[in-house]
Every structure is written in structure tokens, then in C-alpha cells.
Amino acid sequence: MVQLVAGNVQLAVQLASKTEAIQQVGSLLVKSGFIEAGYVKSMLAREAQANTFLGNGIAIPHGQPQARDLIHKTGIAVLQAPEGVRWNPGEIVHLVVGVAAKSDEHLQILTNLTHVLDDPEQVKHLTHTDNPQDIVDQLTRSSRAATNGHQKSTDTTADFDQYVDLMITGGAGLHARPATAFVDVAKSFNAEIRVRHGEQVANGKSLMSLLKLGVEQGSQIRIMAQGDDAQQALQMLQEAVETGLEEEAEEAEMGGEDLPELVLESIPMLGISASPGIAIAPLYQHQHSQIRVLETGAAPEIEVAQLRRAIAAAQRDLKELYATIKLRLGAGKAAIFQTHQEFLADPDLVDAVIAKLPPNHSAAWVWQQEIKARADTLAAVKDPLIAGRSVDIRDVGDRVLKKLVQPIDTRSQLPNHPVILIADDLSPSDTVGFDSAIVVGCCTAKGGATSHAAIIARSLKIPAIVSAGDSILNLANGQQAVLDGDRGRLYPKPTISDLAKARQTQQAQQDLQDVVWRSRYQPALTKDGHRIEVVANIGAPEEAEQAVNAGGEGVGLLRTEFLFLNRATPPSEDEQLTAYQTMTQALNGLPIIIRTLDIGGDKDVPYLNLPKEENPFLGVRGIRLCLHQTELFETQLRAILRAAKTGYVRVMFPMIATLEEVRAAKAFLESVREQVQAPPVEIGMMVEAPSAVLMAAEFAQEVDFFSVGTNDLTQYLLAMDRGHPVLAKQLDALHPAVLRAIAQTVAAAKQYGKWVGVCGGLAGDPLGSSILAGLGVTELSMTIPSIPGVKAKLRKTSMQRLQRLAKRALRCTTAEEVRQL
């Protein structure tokens, strides 16, 4: 018997989001003793996998089947939201019916809801009633009462010309989960879809309409479709039904890489998850060095000279740090320190300091004041991403200050055993210096999950929590603690039982991660036999071997810029050849795509004599530079083509915007190939400029493959500089405009038998990789650490599901909507 009493109904609730709605109704279920608190997380996870919106303003959030052990007894809780809450695009919910069911006892509630939806006046009444008993009575009345006045009648709706007759074989017929899976497939098509069962006809895109049919196991249904893609819709729906909707729904719920959750008895200190994982170790309070400066200095010209020397020295340190971190963590994470270099190169900052030196202020004092003012301004911004960059400003400022004055070292040495580090905040320079064998976890009073320090912590696989509050600074050194980076909780006083449970959960998580790592050499073959190549983006010769060791099936992007930057003269042909051959030998027959030089006026390359351009990203860069400086281009192509004699080499041209550019580049390549008598190579082009998307059909007749650079394509499509301090946060490669551009590119390529890869950041994104595969992208090129996880994720699903996910993503209108899929 399902329990629902007036005390489990909250009226006139204001809800800001779907997540808040699920959390609140879940809290009601917890308060009423129906569930453990952990079941709420399962409700959120369930919603991320399948939509629980029934229609006509009603949603039924509930948890995953594997979380039923967190249910004490079957129960219902209801939130009434007269003003409504946005559930999904175009879906507004007024009644949130939270369901906790140990078996199928809640199906009577669903039956009653189907009949509520048939009565708009009843829905309106329940949405605005000030008597919770009205809602209780409606949801708990008997099936007979519920059907009173709603007797089954013959539906005279005409059948469509295109249809297929099928039998439902699932054990429970077409109830909530398989019906949800059916609707999910149906909604991925534009065609109108109907389902006939006996004399009744339902809307195939409405969950409640389907549930009303009462289709049981062994029943015959007719699926009908009308519209441009009707035949494709029928084919996919038939496959979905025949392969088992119930099983597919279960796969959606069970197929993820969900790690075991940590639930402890002791009271935690709450923060925000910044890096996942569990750490168990004594606490250690981290102290920064103190920097004391004198306000008074020497003559302004002397202070200016000292300032410029300090900035130059800091720039050299940052360049070395970038090179070191690039080797250790990859170019993406090392780019943080390139950003720091850009901060120091800001002429406005230097000019502002110099202007305040007279009559006798010290450079260190003025610098400190100017950095503080700029950092404080950023910290006051409401956007957490921008506010978090104040730490970077202070980090850069301190680096220069330490060149101007000798800091007072107030830091105590880290112990020689593992610790959970506690700090007010951490800079990227702090975090990158951590030994992950000693600092096994960190928790800060301030900071954000999008900070560069948090990004580095994730790369180092150090569990981390941010924004835990100043109270953590009062915790004693040496106190044994447990840090749960997955949920943002620090347990400073765990019990013996807690410690045992934490170690058990930590080991279970590690075991699951080990399974992913051990399976890294298995191909990314979907359940229905479709293979997606998973390859690496690299920017140094030694990274080729690292990519293979991580399960990479080749190199999808070799950034050759590393050979040309930070030097006084261009690399010789033999120097380039040596680098390329090192990689082909490491790959041992696996393919490598070598992108020709892609730099422009934004890079400081003295020997190229590039003029400073107002907008270098729209100037002479990429293939334009190569075609302009043909001697440089010829030397690189000679080295690449000679390397092609030693391995499977493909050549790719960057920043192609016109047919004239790609034809000129191909002609130049062919003339060089004849000179060195090299074998023919496959030729591809980057799809970064919008013109390449719009003319993809024409370009597909010129090249062998496309590789979509989602980072640049996104900034060009959305007209936002990805380095802009304000706009960068809005750049999201999952924006529907970007996804539709990729879909258009894939369609054009298929028309001419060409394949499409993606080498931007989206390829390594867990959701992004799934959508891209569903769009028809056959090669995903990503940072090396992302390879094992993406391959494992793709192996756990079917191409059919990926295609439906991609279709849903294309119908979204914002990046946020896509990320909610």
C-alpha cells in the first residue's frame, strides 16, 4: 500500500530549477522516513538519464533500480508549484510527485495520474488548491474510482499509411520505464507518431498517452508514423521494441561509470567538490610565505628598471614551468601558465605601476597595491568563474614580488607521510608543486571548482574540496580525517567504523578505475558493433609513446608548433624529420595526423617577422602564413613526407577558409612530394572557419578527411574570443550551433565517402564524445588521460542510443539544455 498523507504534500512552493525541485521532494521523502538521503542522488541521476515529465504540468522523479536498497518503505511526496518550474525545454511542471517504490506498488498512483491528465480542470484545481487533502484524495483513490467517467471507448482516429505491427515482449508490458524509452526514441524524429492498441490510439511522443493504453506483456501494438522521416522513425522504433525496451531502459540506468558513494556516521564539514576521489590521512595546515614590502624606494628610474627585471625573470620562470607541466600533464593544463604570462605582458598593468612610482614609492609596494586592487575587483564579480581568476592575478603578482623582495618563509615543511592539506586558498603555483604521494587530498576555505588550482588538482588526481569556510582553518594538525571529493565533504572526526567504511569505498572506487585502465587497449566498439577510433592530441615527440600506453589508437592531432616556438631561428628539415620519426617509430604503424604549422600574429616568433595585427585570429595565420612564407612551408612538408616513408602519416592543413587555400596547399604538397619521391599521403583539413562548414560538400571533394577543431569553431560561430575575461565563460562547444555545424559537416562528408574526426576539447568530454559519435563522427582525438574513460563509456552503449542522444541534442536551443540531457 502506497503511503501519502497531507503532511507529505507541500503547497505553494517556489522552485528555481528542476534540480532544486528533485532535491526538495527528495528531502520530503527523507523526512517522512521513506528513504535514505543517498536516494536523492539516485533521483537526480535517474533524471539525467531519462525524462520523468509526464505531461500537462506533472513530473514523477524517482530513483534508479539499483538504489532500491536505500528505500525503507514505498511512499510518495508531492510539491505543488503554482508558478511552475522549467523541467526541460518547453516543459513546465506544477506538480512534482516524488516516488520511492521498492517494487511496483506505485503503479496505481501512475494510473490515477493518467486520468488526471485527461481532465485539464482537475489539473488546474490541484495546481492551485490550498487543501493538501485534495491532492492526496486524487492520487490515492482506487483504480475503479479513478476510471469512473473515463471508460474505454473506441478511438476513430485514422491510421497513417506507414506503420509496423509488433508484439510487446517485456515482462511488465509498456509501463513507465519502457514507455519512457519508447518516447525517447520517438521524440528524436520530426514525424508524427501514433501507437494503436486495440481500439485505442495514443500519441507516441507522450508518456502519459502511452501509459493510458494499458499495454501488457504479449500485447500487439501498431506503430504509425507520418512525416519526412517517418520510415526512419518506424525502423528505429521497431528495433527498439524488438531489442527490448525494458532492457534498454535498464541499460540507461545501469550503464554509467557511477562510483560507489561514501556514507559515514560522523558530521561532515561541507564544501564544493573540486576534484573527485576519497582521501584518508592526517590534516596539515598549509601556510603561505609572507611578503613584506617597504613603501619608500629609490629614484623612479631605478625602481622601473628593477620592476622590468623582476617581470622578465618571472616570465622566464613561467615559460620553464609551462614546458615542465606540459610534459607532465599535457598542453591543456600547462596553458594556465601561458595565461599567467599574458597577465604579465599586459602593458596597462605595467604602465599603471610606473605612473604611481613618483616621487619615491618602491616598485614592490606599488606593484603589490595594483595587483591587490585588480584581484579584489575580480573577486567581487558575481560570476564564480571570473571571481576565481582573482587567485591567478594574486599568484602572478606574488611571483614578481618574490623577485623584487626576499619573502619571509613562514611555511613549515610538509611531512614525509600522506596528508590532507588545509588552506585558506591555493594558487596554481601551489598546486602544481604538490607531490601527490604526500598531498593525497586538499580542502580550502575559499576558491571555486572552476579555478585553475582545481583543474590542476583534477589532473594530478588529488581529491579536493573548495569553499568549505573559514572554520576548517581551526582544525588541528595531525588530526585523522576523511575527505570525500565526490560530494564535497570533509569528515574531521571520523569514527573507527567511518574509517573502515571509507577505506572500503576508496578501494571499490579504485577497483572500478582499474577496470577502465586495464581495458584501455580494447577498441571503442559499441554494443551493436560500431567502432569509433579514439586517438590522442599531442605536442611533443615523447607523447606519442604515452598515447599508445594509454590505449590510444594513433595520433589524431600532432601540433607541430612546439618545433617553431621559443627559438631564434626556424627548425631545419633534419631536426623536424628526427622529431617526426621518433613519433612514427613509437606508434609502430598506428596512424598519425601531422598538422602543418598553425601560428599567426598572436605568437612571438621573431624570425617570421610577423607584424602585430589588431585581430590575429582573423589575420595571417595557419595555412595563410604557410602559403605566404613558402620556404618555411616547403621545409616542413619535406620533413613530413620523408617521415611518411617510416610510418602511417596523414597531413592536415589548418584554418582552411576557402577552396583556393586548400587547392593551393594541395598543389604545393604534391610538388614537394615529387621532389622527395615520397609515397602518396592522405590529406585532410581542419574545420574551424564557418565557411568550411557551409561549403563542406565542396571541400569534401578536395580532401580525404575532415577534423573539426571545436575550440576555434566555437569561438568563430559564437563570435566570442576564448581568451576574453568576460565572454570566455559563455563559450561551450556543446552549444547547439556548434553541434548543428558538426552534423552538417558529417552529412556533407558522407555524401562523398569521406570521414570526420574531432580534435577539439569536446572529443574528450564524457557527454560530448557520446553526442559526437551519435552525430556520425568516427574519430575522437583527445588529451591522453581522457582516452581510457571515453573508450570504456562508448563500449557500454549502442550506436542506436548515441544517435538518439545526438538527435535530442540537435533539438536543444542552449548549451545548458544539452548538458541536461
Side-chain angles (χ1 to χ4, degrees):
M1 178 69 181
V2 179
Q3 295 189 36
L4 176 62
V5 296
N8 296 339
V9 178
Q10 282 191 359
L11 301 179
V13 178
Q14 291 188 333
L15 300 167
S17 67
K18 174 171 66 172
T19 298
E20 182 182 349
I22 295 173
Q23 289 172 336
Q24 281 203 29
V25 80
S27 296
L28 259 182
L29 291 168
V30 173
K31 184 179 178 181
S32 302
F34 295 127
I35 61 173
E36 293 281 350
Y39 189 74
V40 180
K41 181 177 179 181
S42 179
M43 294 172 72
L44 291 166
R46 176 69 175 82
E47 189 65 40
Q49 295 162 344
N51 188 6
T52 59
F53 178 76
L54 294 183
N56 211 1
I58 300 176
I60 53 165
H62 52 285
Q64 300 163 301
Q66 65 266 36
R68 283 178 176 169
D69 59 340
L70 297 176
I71 300 174
H72 297 308
K73 55 186 176 181
T74 297
I76 304 290
V78 181
L79 301 180
Q80 179 206 60
E83 294 182 9
V85 58
R86 183 174 177 274
W87 210 253
N88 287 306
E91 299 172 353
I92 302 299
V93 169
H94 296 283
L95 290 176
V96 182
V97 183
V99 180
K102 291 186 75 69
S103 58
D104 290 332
E105 303 147 296
H106 65 299
L107 294 182
Q108 179 63 57
I109 294 286
L110 297 182
T111 301
N112 291 347
L113 282 171
T114 64
H115 301 292
V116 172
L117 291 176
D118 268 348
D119 191 342
E121 289 303 315
Q122 182 66 272
V123 173
K124 184 177 180 181
H125 170 66
L126 296 181
T127 297
H128 295 92
T129 182
D130 57 5
N131 183 358
Q133 194 60 42
D134 290 349
I135 295 175
V136 173
D137 291 343
Q138 181 62 49
L139 296 187
T140 57
R141 63 182 181 166
S142 70
S143 177
R144 183 173 182 179
T147 57
N148 186 31
H150 295 282
Q151 298 296 324
K152 194 178 288 187
S153 59
T154 302
D155 194 312
T156 58
T157 305
D159 289 357
F160 295 145
D161 292 338
Q162 297 186 68
Y163 63 86
V164 59
D165 292 330
L166 299 168
M167 177 181 289
I168 297 296
T169 58
L174 204 57
H175 74 80
R177 284 199 301 276
T180 299
F182 186 98
V183 170
D184 189 27
V185 178
K187 283 185 174 180
S188 64
F189 295 95
N190 295 321
E192 184 180 352
I193 295 171
R194 296 177 184 168
V195 178
R196 175 177 290 283
H197 175 50
E199 301 299 321
Q200 300 298 302
V201 176
N203 178 358
K205 297 182 180 181
S206 165
L207 177 58
M208 287 313 304
S209 185
L210 281 179
L211 290 176
K212 285 171 57 184
L213 292 177
V215 179
E216 299 177 349
Q217 181 186 23
S219 298
Q220 289 280 346
I221 63 170
R222 170 169 291 186
I223 306 173
M224 303 171 284
Q226 180 174 276
D228 293 340
D229 54 0
Q231 193 57 48
Q232 299 96 305
L234 288 175
Q235 181 180 349
M236 190 163 286
L237 285 167
Q238 180 176 358
E239 290 177 2
V241 171
E242 290 178 345
T243 55
L245 290 165
E246 178 76 16
E247 290 74 19
E248 185 160 351
E250 289 292 325
E251 176 192 327
E253 295 177 341
M254 300 291 288
E257 294 294 332
D258 294 333
L259 295 174
E261 184 177 301
L262 181 64
V263 181
L264 303 184
E265 299 170 356
S266 56
I267 299 174
M269 303 178 80
L270 304 180
I272 297 172
S273 172
S275 180
I278 295 172
I280 307 164
L283 299 175
Y284 173 80
Q285 293 281 352
H286 176 69
Q287 300 292 331
H288 290 92
S289 297
Q290 292 184 11
I291 304 175
R292 295 177 182 172
V293 300
L294 297 176
E295 181 177 353
T296 304
E301 59 272 17
I302 295 176
E303 296 294 328
V304 168
Q306 290 178 347
L307 176 65
R308 293 195 185 281
R309 284 196 296 271
I311 291 174
Q315 287 276 28
R316 287 193 296 273
D317 287 351
L318 288 169
K319 285 182 179 180
E320 291 178 7
L321 190 56
Y322 168 78
T324 301
I325 301 307
K326 183 178 177 182
L327 291 177
R328 183 181 174 194
L329 301 177
K333 306 303 181 293
I336 292 168
F337 297 101
Q338 280 188 321
T339 302
H340 284 199
Q341 292 179 54
E342 290 300 320
F343 285 149
L344 288 183
D346 181 359
D348 291 342
L349 172 60
V350 178
D351 291 346
V353 173
I354 292 174
K356 295 175 183 176
L357 289 175
N360 61 350
H361 289 140
S362 72
W365 184 82
V366 177
W367 177 265
Q368 188 180 58
Q369 299 301 310
E370 191 66 25
I371 288 292
K372 183 179 183 302
R374 292 179 180 232
D376 288 348
T377 299
L378 280 184
V381 176
K382 292 182 178 179
D383 188 303
L385 185 63
I386 297 175
R389 296 301 173 256
S390 64
V391 178
D392 293 277
I393 295 291
R394 291 190 175 96
D395 191 18
V396 171
D398 285 350
R399 187 176 291 278
V400 174
L401 273 182
K402 289 173 184 177
K403 303 293 182 183
L404 289 167
V405 298
Q406 184 64 38
I408 301 172
D409 194 355
T410 57
R411 297 175 299 175
S412 53
Q413 287 295 110
L414 277 170
N416 59 1
H417 59 78
V419 296
I420 294 173
L421 188 139
I422 305 294
D424 179 56
D425 205 350
L426 292 171
S427 70
S429 297
D430 291 326
T431 313
V432 80
F434 289 157
D435 179 351
S436 57
I438 299 297
V439 179
V440 297
C442 54
C443 179
T444 62
K446 300 182 178 68
T450 58
S451 70
H452 284 149
I455 292 169
I456 293 173
R458 289 193 287 273
S459 300
L460 294 172
K461 294 182 169 51
I462 297 175
I465 299 171
V466 296
S467 293
D470 291 341
S471 58
I472 66 168
L473 303 177
N474 298 322
L475 297 173
N477 276 349
Q479 187 174 316
Q480 190 77 359
V482 175
L483 183 145
D484 181 358
D486 296 287
R487 297 197 297 166
R489 297 184 177 186
L490 176 69
Y491 297 87
K493 296 181 180 180
T495 64
I496 294 176
S497 173
D498 284 341
L499 289 171
K501 189 177 294 185
R503 292 188 182 99
Q504 182 181 9
T505 306
Q506 185 184 51
Q507 186 60 52
Q509 291 189 359
Q510 185 60 53
D511 289 345
L512 182 56
Q513 290 166 353
D514 288 346
V515 168
V516 170
W517 178 253
R518 288 197 300 270
S519 65
R520 66 192 185 279
Y521 293 121
Q522 295 179 20
L525 195 67
T526 63
K527 286 182 174 294
D528 47 359
H530 293 266
R531 182 169 182 172
I532 297 96
E533 280 190 50
V534 180
V535 292
N537 296 335
I538 68 173
E542 60 275 12
E543 291 180 356
E545 183 177 354
Q546 295 170 18
V548 174
N549 291 339
E553 298 165 320
V555 171
L557 171 63
L558 168 62
R559 300 183 179 95
T560 58
E561 293 74 48
F562 74 94
L563 288 163
F564 295 83
L565 299 175
N566 301 317
R567 57 189 301 154
T569 58
S572 67
E573 179 181 331
D574 286 342
E575 182 183 349
Q576 292 186 61
L577 175 62
T578 299
Y580 301 146
Q581 284 182 332
T582 299
M583 290 178 267
T584 57
Q585 289 167 6
L587 290 169
N588 194 28
L590 293 174
I592 179 171
I593 296 177
I594 302 179
R595 184 180 69 185
T596 57
L597 184 60
D598 184 18
I599 59 176
D602 57 316
K603 295 290 192 300
D604 183 18
V605 188
Y607 59 83
L608 292 181
N609 297 315
L610 296 175
K612 287 292 182 183
E613 296 178 307
E614 186 173 340
N615 192 336
F617 286 97
L618 298 180
V620 179
R621 64 168 294 200
I623 198 62
R624 295 170 185 166
L625 171 68
C626 292
L627 292 173
H628 182 69
Q629 300 205 18
T630 54
E631 184 177 347
L632 190 78
F633 195 27
E634 180 179 353
T635 300
Q636 182 176 35
L637 290 178
R638 287 180 63 89
I640 293 172
L641 290 167
R642 288 173 64 190
K645 299 176 182 179
T646 66
Y648 186 175
V649 172
R650 296 165 172 155
V651 178
M652 180 163 66
F653 300 127
M655 280 306 300
I656 295 290
T658 67
L659 287 169
E660 291 85 350
E661 288 171 348
V662 74
R663 287 167 179 166
K666 284 172 57 184
F668 201 92
L669 173 67
E670 180 58 25
S671 67
V672 175
R673 190 185 71 80
E674 291 176 355
Q675 293 174 24
V676 299
Q677 296 184 336
V681 294
E682 295 174 45
I683 299 172
M685 60 174 271
M686 294 284 291
V687 175
E688 302 162 287
S691 60
V693 174
L694 296 174
M695 297 187 65
E698 287 78 8
F699 282 115
Q701 300 173 63
E702 299 288 339
V703 296
D704 298 303
F705 64 91
F706 291 140
S707 186
V708 181
T710 53
N711 300 345
D712 275 338
L713 179 61
T714 301
Q715 77 167 349
Y716 289 134
L717 281 175
L718 302 184
M720 295 178 186
D721 183 352
R722 56 178 169 163
H724 195 282
V726 176
L727 298 177
K729 69 182 181 68
Q730 301 177 41
L731 279 173
D732 192 332
L734 282 174
H735 193 285
V738 181
L739 298 180
R740 293 174 191 178
I742 295 171
Q744 183 175 334
T745 303
V746 170
K750 283 184 177 178
Q751 184 180 350
Y752 292 95
K754 307 300 170 64
W755 59 269
V756 178
V758 169
C759 61
L762 188 61
D765 180 275
L767 176 60
S769 59
S770 297
I771 293 174
L772 291 173
L775 289 174
V777 172
T778 56
E779 182 209 67
L780 299 173
S781 191
M782 63 200 66
T783 58
I784 294 171
S786 300
I787 291 172
V790 168
K791 292 178 76 175
K793 185 177 180 66
L794 292 172
R795 284 194 298 267
K796 282 184 168 290
T797 189
S798 66
M799 181 56 68
Q800 196 176 89
R801 290 192 63 79
L802 295 173
Q803 289 171 343
R804 291 201 298 274
L805 174 65
K807 285 179 179 291
R808 291 169 61 198
L810 293 176
R811 290 202 307 272
C812 291
T813 57
T814 66
E816 180 184 0
E817 289 177 9
V818 175
R819 291 200 175 275
Q820 289 177 354
L821 293 176

